[in-house]
Amino acid sequence: MTLTALTVLGVRLEAAWFGPPPDQAATLVLLHEGLGCVALWKAFPQRLAELTGCGVLAYSRAGYGASDPVTLPRPLSYMHEEAREILPRVLDAANVQRAVLVGHSDGASIALINAAAVVDPRVRGLVLMAPHVFTEPMGLDSIRTAREAWQSGSLRQGLARYHRHVDVAFQGWNDAWLDPDFAAWNLQGFIPGIRCPSLLLQGRQDQYGTHKQLDAIEAGCSGPCQVVWLDHCGHSPHREQPEVTLETIRHFVADLALKGAPSS
């Protein structure tokens, strides 16, 4: 692992590289969940690099991990802005030439928007773990439960080990999702714009979304789509079912024929 930092629009983002650099192999770009960061991927990036032969880039979005903070409240369009404005510049700053976007939860939604709205030729595939394309009452209930854990102090104490600006990290995510106007948040209009191959993974016991999320993506996307449901798994396939998740991604990446040096 090589720790580094990327500067995007004047904001410093912490980042970590695993495996070969982008001039030697394709890059799997990890996009974390609403309370995630580089450190919370734990062993997953290193194992992903070893199994696929690709480089892996993990970075913490502004407001998370050791990245610069953001001003609160976050706009309810924060995932759209991240996908359209920030992510392409992250790829530029990291010199990524061929990419597979590997997103979890909010990160998966960001990857989906990017693939559909930016249509970046560097993005050759998507791995979407527990993506959101619209709100569901049960998911919002789980986010309210997270707020209760935060107010009790237990969640804040745990997250403070990973986020330099822990209040910004939590409140930026939680306040946006529980804003009354966020109930109308919906990405279904983007789905037909997904033309690259995509792999969708979700736990059958996901507490933040039902099968309707993956069903909508599978039915609406324009490119090849593989759906994998994981038994005995909640919202975090890479943590709760790491072996199956890693092996499934390995096969998906191999089928994209991304190994080796990028073409000129």
Side-chain angles (χ1 to χ4, degrees), residues 31 79-80 82-84 87 101-120 123 125-134 185-196 198-200 213-214 216-218 220-221 225:
L31 304 172
M79 283 183 265
H80 297 70
E82 187 74 30
R84 289 168 157 158
L87 180 53
L101 304 181
V102 181
H104 172 225
S105 193
D106 275 19
S109 300
I110 290 166
L112 185 154
I113 297 169
N114 175 272
V118 179
V119 196
D120 191 325
V123 175
L126 300 178
V127 176
L128 307 179
M129 298 187 290
H132 308 289
V133 290
F134 46 80
W185 179 88
N186 193 300
L187 302 182
Q188 287 178 283
F190 288 98
I191 295 172
I194 301 173
R195 294 178 172 81
C196 62
S198 57
L199 169 64
L200 316 180
Q213 305 287 336
L214 267 57
I217 300 171
E218 182 182 23
C221 68
C225 180

Side-chain angles (χ1 to χ4, degrees), residues 88-158:
R89 291 177 169 87
V90 167
L91 301 186
D92 291 342
N95 194 33
V96 171
Q97 299 170 42
R98 290 182 181 176
V100 177
L101 304 181
V102 181
H104 172 225
S105 193
D106 275 19
S109 300
I110 290 166
L112 185 154
I113 297 169
N114 175 272
V118 179
V119 196
D120 191 325
R122 293 172 292 188
V123 175
R124 307 299 179 85
L126 300 178
V127 176
L128 307 179
M129 298 187 290
H132 308 289
V133 290
F134 46 80
T135 60
E136 295 184 90
M138 53 85 73
L140 295 177
D141 286 344
S142 293
I143 293 172
R144 291 187 188 96
T145 299
R147 174 174 284 183
E148 293 170 0
W150 173 264
Q151 291 170 340
S152 75
S154 59
L155 181 57
R156 189 184 191 280
Q157 183 178 4

Side-chain angles (χ1 to χ4, degrees), residues 133-256:
V133 290
F134 46 80
T135 60
E136 295 184 90
M138 53 85 73
L140 295 177
D141 286 344
S142 293
I143 293 172
R144 291 187 188 96
T145 299
R147 174 174 284 183
E148 293 170 0
W150 173 264
Q151 291 170 340
S152 75
S154 59
L155 181 57
R156 189 184 191 280
Q157 183 178 4
L159 290 174
R161 297 197 299 268
Y162 299 99
H163 299 289
R164 184 174 296 170
H165 308 281
V166 66
D167 298 291
V168 171
F170 181 82
Q171 292 173 0
W173 166 76
N174 195 262
D175 290 355
W177 273 88
L178 294 182
D179 187 297
D181 290 339
F182 202 80
W185 179 88
N186 193 300
L187 302 182
Q188 287 178 283
F190 288 98
I191 295 172
I194 301 173
R195 294 178 172 81
C196 62
S198 57
L199 169 64
L200 316 180
L201 299 102
Q202 186 169 346
R204 294 192 186 277
Q205 290 76 43
D206 192 332
Q207 63 271 40
Y208 287 95
T210 69
H211 66 91
K212 295 178 182 178
Q213 305 287 336
L214 267 57
D215 290 349
I217 300 171
E218 182 182 23
C221 68
S222 300
C225 180
Q226 177 186 357
V227 175
V228 175
W229 287 97
L230 301 174
D231 293 320
H232 311 294
C233 182
H235 189 58
S236 301
H238 60 293
R239 287 194 287 265
E240 298 175 54
Q241 292 288 352
E243 301 306 325
V244 176
T245 299
L246 285 162
E247 190 63 15
T248 302
I249 296 174
R250 184 184 72 81
H251 281 290
F252 176 75
V253 170
D255 288 344
L256 292 177

Side-chain angles (χ1 to χ4, degrees), residues 37-56:
C37 63
V38 168
L40 278 167
W41 287 108
K42 300 197 175 177
F44 184 72
Q46 183 63 50
R47 295 201 60 198
L48 199 56
E50 292 168 354
L51 283 171
T52 63
C54 294
V56 175

